[in-house]
């Protein structure tokens, strides 16, 4: 994975590598090299990505190509509808090598196993060396993650996170964590109160480049999930930085407070809505963490908020990336709970009388965004309880969110949300009854079901599906100490209630 500096090469920049200091760009000589960027059907359709996600990436790619040209690079940009476009990354790389007579490819480590495997076949297929350089936009190199994981019986994010705090010096006072504790999550569980005012994330009207891309996406991917317009995402580094600055001022001070809350009229609450920018390379993870820490040090944001935000990025984000590469390719196939149900059509149509699911799916269609608890405790929780095959759940999450790439989406979906890895990532399944959703949201008020009712046709389905899930998976989950209390509670229920739970679940699942 090394490369002599400043060489002449074809530098391939992928759609989620839109960072000027990218490893592959640093390694090549701009005077003797050509940058290849290619819009290809295969990447837009291997899962049928949300229209807004494709539009965001194509527009950001086109803007990035301009920025590279301004920085002195020769850029060969292949548009989706260019004559001769082969529709694949390998096809476009092969064509570009021939077009420019170059004898080497340099690329930064891709975010997906599938793409890496493909690239590994290129030296033989193209007859030129292909240098795949470490992606040092991530803070923790992959070999270090493998070393960190080696010999540990169980991997847990919290210990990784503490090492990351020490490694980066973020929120450290000498060798001690700022404020004396590592994690302030206990302060971060407030349900959203009536009257709270939540700012919208920064929104940007489409410019001429984006307008052209929107027309292309409407024309070519009209059948894909999601609503294309209004489109307001940032598509340049400068605009993404502006969106982040706005978050720092407007929302960071309250970031922790309502992190787990859900409101039908407020889609973003105090979340940053920067996942799509970080993952495409328009924002740098370490820089955003340093900027957040500066807000705390200047007294403009409290420690619980800043610690919670930084933990998501140097903790969860880095952790799931290391975890993905450590466990692939087998991880994508795991199905520890033996779930076999097909993904119900309601995940695409949003047509259901369950108000929480309807709201989260509609929001996903409109924004290509839902925040973590909507993903985990509504759509994810439902898929877990009714036993949808994890690979189908994975495909859905990978397709519908603008920030979704397999390295981050797969561990979150398969591991955290569906417990399909049997507990490698999470210590217990995130299964919950309607009571949790009721406590953290205002969805239940407008629902056809009664969240207080436990069984029967009008009862909230989450209530009986929760128990049915535990009963169905007793042989796999019964020994989990974190579920012991739930199993004890179930066992103490009157037999008539247990029977009603089974009957309600059976009737619901048959209708599904
Ligand atoms: P905020 O809540 O404001 O958090 C700030 C940043 O922290 C995020 O932008 C993100 O970069 C990082 N972060 C927060 N939580 C996580 C996490 N669990 N894992 C990794 N990074 C995290 N995140 C993705 O970036 N891409 C995905 O495809 C994705 N799929 C998910 C699927 C499921 C089933 C679940 C439960 C979570 C998934 N997440 C994914 C994690 C999380 O939901 C999103 O990162 C977050 O909602 C993005 O919105 P935000 O930028 O407003 O985040
Ligand atoms: C997601 C995506 C889409 C929709 N289109 C392209 C594309 O046309 N060209 C490209 O280089 N990359 C695209 N991407 C991002 C890739 O899918 C991503 O680089 C890999 O999945 C690795 O993370
Ligand atoms: Fe969702 Fe149940 Fe509440 Fe309806 S009652 S919104 S199904 S949690």
């Amino acid at each position: 994975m090394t490369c002599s500096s400043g060489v002449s090469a074809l530098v391939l920049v992928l759609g989620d590598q839109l960072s000027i200091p990218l490893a592959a760009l640093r390694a090549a000589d701009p005077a003797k090299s050509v940058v290849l960027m290619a819009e290809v059907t295969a990447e837009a359709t291997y899962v049928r990505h949300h229209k807004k996600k494709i539009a965001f990436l194509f527009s950001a790619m086109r803007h990035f190509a301009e920025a590279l040209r301004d920085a002195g690079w020769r850029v060969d940009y292949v548009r989706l509808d260019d004559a001769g476009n082969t529709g694949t990354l390998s096809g476009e790389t092969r064509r570009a090598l021939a077009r420019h007579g170059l004898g080497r490819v340099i690329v930064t480590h891709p975010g997906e196993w599938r793409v890496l495997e493909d690239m590994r076949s290129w030296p033989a297929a193209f007859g030129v060396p292909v240098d795949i350089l470490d992606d040092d936009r991530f803070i923790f190199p992959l070999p270090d993650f493998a070393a960190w994981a080696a010999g540990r019986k169980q991997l847990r994010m919290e210990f990784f996170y503490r090492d990351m705090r020490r490694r980066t010096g973020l929120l450290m006072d000498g060798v001690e964590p700022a404020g004396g504790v590592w994690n302030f999550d206990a302060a971060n569980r407030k349900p959203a109160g009536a009257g709270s005012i939540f700012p919208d994330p920064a929104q940007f009207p489409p410019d001429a480049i984006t307008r052209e891309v929107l027309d292309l996406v409407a024309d070519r991917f009209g059948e894909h999930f999601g609503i294309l317009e209004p489109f307001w995402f940032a598509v340049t580094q400068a605009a993404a930085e502006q969106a982040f600055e706005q978050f720092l001022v407007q929302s960071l001070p309250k970031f922790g407070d309502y992190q787990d809350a859900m409101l039908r009229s407020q889609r973003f609450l105090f979340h940053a809505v920067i996942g799509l920018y970080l993952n495409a390379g328009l924002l740098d993870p370490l820089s955003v963490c340093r900027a957040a820490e500066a807000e705390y040090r200047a007294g403009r944001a409290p420690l619980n908020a800043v610690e919670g935000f930084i933990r998501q990025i140097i903790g969860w984000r880095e952790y799931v990336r290391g975890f993905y590469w450590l466990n692939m390719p087998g991880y994508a196939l795991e199905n520890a709970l033996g779930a076999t149900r097909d993904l119900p059509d309601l995940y695409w149509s949003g047509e259901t009388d369950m108000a929480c699911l309807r709201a989260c799916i509609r929001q996903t269609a409109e924004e290509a965004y839902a925040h973590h608890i909507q993903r985990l405790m509504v759509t994810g929780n439902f898929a877990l309880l009714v036993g949808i095959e994890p690979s189908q759940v994975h495909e859905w999450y990978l397709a519908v969110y603008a920030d979704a790439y397999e390295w981050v989406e797969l561990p979150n979906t398969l591991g955290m949300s569906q417990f399909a890895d049997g507990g490698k990532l999470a210590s217990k399944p995130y299964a919950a009854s309607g009571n949790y959703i009721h406590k953290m949201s205002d969805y239940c008020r407008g629902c056809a079901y009664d969240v207080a009712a436990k069984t029967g046709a009008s009862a909230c389905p989450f209530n009986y599906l929760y128990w049915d899930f535990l009963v169905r998976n007793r042989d796999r989950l019964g020994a989990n100490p974190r579920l012991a209390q739930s199993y004890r509670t179930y066992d103490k229920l009157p037999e008539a209630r247990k029977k009603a739970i089974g009957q309600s679940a059976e009737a619901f699942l048959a209708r599904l």
Side-chain angles (χ1 to χ4, degrees), residues 312-451:
Q312 305 311 313
I313 294 178
I314 63 167
W316 279 113
R317 186 172 186 275
E318 292 282 330
Y319 181 73
V320 298
R321 191 237 180 187
F323 187 91
Y324 171 82
W325 287 104
L326 190 68
N327 289 291
M328 283 300 279
Y331 197 72
L333 306 172
E334 293 203 26
N335 185 1
L337 300 181
T340 54
R341 186 179 299 280
D342 282 338
L343 188 81
D345 191 53
L346 70 88
Y347 274 81
W348 301 111
S349 68
E351 280 170 25
T352 163
D353 46 14
M354 298 171 73
C356 52
L357 271 181
R358 193 169 62 230
C360 291
I361 292 165
R362 279 202 186 149
Q363 172 182 330
T364 299
E366 284 171 21
E367 309 288 1
Y369 177 86
H371 70 67
H372 188 67
I373 294 302
Q374 294 173 310
R375 299 184 203 196
L376 187 65
M377 301 311 294
V378 180
T379 44
N381 185 19
F382 185 74
L384 174 72
L385 297 189
V386 303
I388 299 173
E389 194 195 353
S391 66
Q392 297 188 38
V393 186
H394 155 51
E395 242 185 63
W396 186 79
Y397 280 100
L398 187 57
V400 302
Y401 292 112
D403 56 31
Y405 300 89
E406 199 176 83
W407 64 266
V408 53
E409 176 277 330
L410 188 67
N412 271 296
T413 301
L414 216 99
M416 188 185 303
S417 167
Q418 300 301 298
F419 208 70
D421 63 3
K424 286 194 187 111
L425 188 91
S427 55
K428 76 171 179 88
Y430 281 91
S433 70
N435 192 35
Y436 174 87
I437 296 172
H438 181 48
K439 198 172 78 195
M440 299 312 295
S441 80
D442 65 356
Y443 294 142
C444 300
R445 255 186 275 147
C447 187
Y449 296 102
D450 177 2
V451 72

Side-chain angles (χ1 to χ4, degrees), residues 135-297:
D135 188 349
D136 54 11
R137 297 173 303 166
F138 289 94
I139 303 160
F140 209 70
L142 293 176
D144 290 15
F145 192 89
W148 177 84
R152 284 174 198 255
K153 265 212 329 245
Q154 215 174 31
L155 304 185
R156 286 292 172 253
M157 197 287 289
E158 188 60 30
F159 299 110
F160 172 81
Y161 167 58
R162 291 179 193 181
D163 286 353
M164 287 296 283
R165 291 271 295 276
R166 293 189 190 98
R167 180 183 271 242
T168 58
L170 282 162
L171 292 180
M172 296 298 293
D173 290 335
V175 293
E176 296 298 324
V181 287
W182 294 101
N183 183 320
F184 288 83
D185 229 8
N188 293 351
R189 294 272 145 77
K190 292 185 195 151
S196 312
I197 295 170
F198 298 99
D200 275 336
Q203 309 197 350
F204 303 87
D207 64 4
I209 293 179
T210 302
R211 190 64 261 160
E212 209 180 338
V213 167
L214 289 170
D215 293 342
L216 173 77
V217 171
D219 181 40
R220 292 289 298 274
F221 306 105
E223 301 298 303
H224 284 210
F225 175 77
I227 293 161
L228 185 56
E229 299 198 55
F231 179 93
W232 51 261
F233 293 147
V235 289
T236 62
Q237 183 189 330
E241 276 167 3
Q242 191 186 325
F244 176 63
E245 290 291 323
Q246 186 167 316
F247 160 76
L248 281 183
V249 175
Q250 290 186 340
S251 302
L252 178 65
K254 299 262 177 90
F255 180 78
D257 287 3
Y258 303 116
Q259 223 176 320
D260 290 3
M262 297 175 279
L263 288 178
R264 60 178 84 212
S265 63
Q266 298 293 333
R267 296 172 163 189
F268 308 104
L269 303 163
F270 292 119
H271 289 276
V273 198
I274 57 166
L276 75 169
Y277 306 139
L278 284 169
N279 297 348
L282 298 181
L283 288 177
D284 172 58
L286 195 52
S287 307
V288 304
C289 290
R290 296 223 186 283
E293 173 170 17
E295 294 300 295
Y296 161 64
R297 299 286 180 197

